[in-house]
Amino acid sequence: MTAQIIDGKAIAQKIKEKIKAEVATLGKKPGLAAIIAGDNPASKIYVGMKRKTCKEAGIYSEEHKLPEQATEKELIELIRKLNNEDKIDAILVQLPLPPQISTEKALNEVAIEKDVDGFSPANVGKLMAGNENMVPCTPKGIIRLLEETGTKIDGKSAVIVGRSNIVGKPTALMLLNRNATVTICHSKTSNLAEHTRKADILIAAAGKPKLITADMIKKGAIVIDVGINKADGEISGDVDYKQAKEKAAAITPVPGGVGPMTIAMLLENTLKLHKERKQK
Ligand code: NDP
């Protein structure tokens, strides 16, 4: 069996075009403010890509850079200022933050009506209770990929490798909300393969290259590889793609799978927040 390759790039492109067409009909552009604190090179690349895609879709974006030594107070003051700026509909605090800044405190400052990543405690609580009004972009993109490929989630066994607040846990909740039977694995899981082999839907989000080998995949499973690992100038996921695609029914490539979907969902969330604010 050779797997169907889930073309995240093409699916994301269609979503972007739809958003662009809708934005063109609006009197005022939706606005996104991205905050980067510190010198994390990956964060700079991600924010650059997000802003470029915003521009292509006609969404206004601005970037706010704080130095590596920035204090929590400085970041909170900036977030509060952006909370009050009319042209800004969406605030993105790029993670990770430097160690002297509490991520929880910072995310708690983002006004719920501008929380484009769904990371604020209020939105996290809503997702927990089954309300998906504003959910994080990567999990939302993963679910959209499953839906676009016609994957039935209801009643399926879903295994997620990774339990971070930004990928693993919200993805697990979204799958649970769709009636999957969910297992969450992490670095302390004993015998990871025993769990992954039972997965009809396997989500790899550990950030460990080739963690998931073909023998850990159930024949005919749907495999979503979230990992982005850089080594020797090459980007790879968490799944041993070459071998895995001979075992899975469908699989996402890295790059070109979940990554473009994350950005497409950011645009979608920005537009949604813009429309909701206009209605108030
Ligand atoms: P984190 O480092 O925050 O979390 C990684 C998770 O994987 C942790 O829960 C960790 O367990 C678990 N883990 C690590 N090693 C193993 C192992 N050997 N076996 C089982 N579980 C393991 O990462 P993120 O969730 O932020 O990101 C995960 C990956 O996804 C990264 O490669 C990241 O770059 C990528 N990513 C991709 C995005 C995209 O748009 N495509 C967006 C966001 C992230 P424990 O909790 O016990 O430490």
Side-chain angles (χ1 to χ4, degrees):
M1 178 194 283
T2 296
Q4 173 201 350
I5 309 304
I6 305 172
D7 189 347
K9 202 173 163 192
I11 297 168
Q13 185 60 31
K14 271 199 210 149
I15 296 169
K16 279 189 274 178
E17 276 161 21
K18 208 171 143 231
I19 292 169
K20 185 178 177 182
E22 188 173 346
V23 168
T25 67
L26 301 172
K28 200 175 149 232
K29 281 185 177 186
L32 171 83
I35 303 174
I36 302 193
D39 303 319
N40 186 312
S43 292
K44 286 182 189 166
I45 294 171
Y46 293 147
V47 169
M49 278 160 48
K50 288 170 183 174
R51 292 198 63 209
K52 179 175 169 275
T53 317
C54 276
K55 198 172 174 206
E56 285 163 4
I59 292 177
Y60 167 78
S61 79
E62 55 186 40
E63 186 174 328
H64 297 264
K65 285 190 188 135
L66 291 177
E68 185 69 38
Q69 313 73 19
T71 63
E72 198 169 270
K73 190 166 170 270
E74 282 173 293
L75 176 60
I76 288 175
E77 275 170 7
L78 173 60
I79 295 172
R80 287 182 182 166
K81 183 173 157 270
L82 294 167
N83 281 342
N84 290 314
E85 264 185 34
D86 191 48
K87 67 173 184 290
I88 298 303
D89 298 294
I91 301 172
L92 178 160
V93 180
Q94 185 66 41
L95 301 178
L97 294 172
Q100 71 278 15
I101 300 177
S102 155
T103 302
E104 193 187 339
K105 275 193 196 160
L107 296 176
N108 201 14
E109 287 293 332
V110 177
I112 190 160
E113 64 273 16
K114 297 193 178 187
D115 178 25
V116 73
D117 265 326
F119 290 158
S120 71
N123 275 324
V124 172
K126 283 187 181 185
L127 173 58
M128 184 81 178
N131 175 340
E132 296 188 359
N133 186 53
M134 190 50 60
V135 289
C137 300
T138 302
K140 189 176 179 183
I142 292 168
I143 299 293
R144 191 66 66 81
L145 281 180
L146 292 172
E147 287 169 354
E148 287 280 337
T149 47
T151 304
K152 188 174 171 278
I153 300 176
D154 197 311
K156 292 292 166 73
S157 158
V159 176
I160 297 127
V161 184
R163 58 172 165 183
S164 72
N165 291 338
I166 63 170
V167 187
K169 282 186 212 164
T171 304
L173 288 169
M174 291 184 79
L175 288 164
L176 188 62
N177 287 345
R178 287 161 180 75
N179 299 325
T181 301
V182 177
T183 304
I184 307 175
C185 301
H186 45 79
S187 69
K188 307 289 186 288
T189 298
S190 56
N191 205 342
L192 181 63
E194 207 174 87
H195 297 283
T196 58
R197 275 188 210 120
K198 290 184 185 146
D200 301 312
I201 299 168
L202 178 60
I203 317 279
K208 296 279 176 285
K210 294 196 180 167
L211 174 68
I212 309 295
T213 48
D215 62 308
M216 295 166 77
I217 297 171
K218 180 177 170 178
K219 199 162 181 245
I222 310 295
V223 179
I224 307 288
D225 191 353
V226 188
I228 300 178
N229 305 294
K230 287 186 194 108
D232 305 327
E234 293 242 324
I235 293 180
S236 67
D238 288 351
V239 178
D240 184 355
Y241 180 76
K242 257 194 197 159
Q243 306 293 328
K245 73 178 166 47
E246 301 306 321
K247 191 91 177 274
I251 188 166
T252 57
V254 178
V258 177
M261 289 301 288
T262 296
I263 301 184
M265 295 301 103
L266 176 73
L267 303 189
E268 208 175 89
N269 281 357
T270 301
L271 177 58
K272 185 172 189 293
L273 291 174
H274 174 78
K275 290 198 282 189
E276 285 175 0
R277 281 183 71 229
K278 263 200 351 193
Q279 279 163 11
K280 280 188 182 158

